[in-house]
Amino acid sequence: MPGAGRSGRGRRVPSAVRAAGAGAGVGALTGFLGVGGGFLTVPALVALAGVRMRTAVGTSLLVVTVNALAALLARAGTAAPVDWAVVGPFTGAAVLGALDGRRLAARLPAARLRTVFGYLLLAVAALMAADTAARLA
């Protein structure tokens, strides 16, 4: 059955059903913990939905954009005021960083990109754990 199993090389073939399940899980964690975005979406797409790393990154960016737009529309007029003096410089720097990151990612083999992403996830987890421990002390 197309899209429902493994390729001849043992890699999962992307599946809409697995993608929907992974999306529901990431959405639930995002709603519950207030985290998500690419940090959960990319690994879920790769490990659970069978999407290749580079495709998962692009897919994640679109998913995050749509989710952020939906959240912005849902919270319009109900959230605290926006500090535009922070939004402008932050967004501008983030756009420039994204362009530089894309150029760097294009030079890295997929396996190295996965390794770098994994270490980044571990570093973020360690920082979050340290922050939580400090708040509990």
Side-chain angles (χ1 to χ4, degrees), residues 10-127:
R11 196 180 77 70
R12 280 191 172 170
V13 176
S15 161
V17 172
R18 284 195 308 271
V26 168
L29 286 172
T30 300
F32 181 66
L33 301 174
V35 297
F39 281 100
L40 294 176
T41 304
V42 171
L45 287 170
V46 172
L48 303 175
V51 176
R52 292 186 183 276
M53 182 67 168
R54 291 191 190 276
T55 302
V57 170
T59 301
S60 172
L61 292 172
L62 181 58
V63 167
V64 168
T65 300
V66 171
N67 283 341
L69 182 58
L72 178 64
L73 292 173
R75 292 180 181 261
T78 64
V82 174
D83 185 348
W84 291 104
V86 172
V87 171
F90 187 95
T91 303
V95 167
L96 293 175
L99 295 173
D100 286 341
R102 184 185 84 42
R103 281 193 287 270
L104 178 61
R107 295 183 195 166
L108 292 176
R112 175 72 53 92
L113 189 58
R114 278 192 304 274
T115 301
V116 168
F117 188 74
Y119 282 123
L120 181 61
L121 285 174
L122 290 173
V124 169
L127 289 172

Side-chain angles (χ1 to χ4, degrees), residues 130-137:
D131 181 61
T132 301
R135 290 175 193 253
L136 293 175

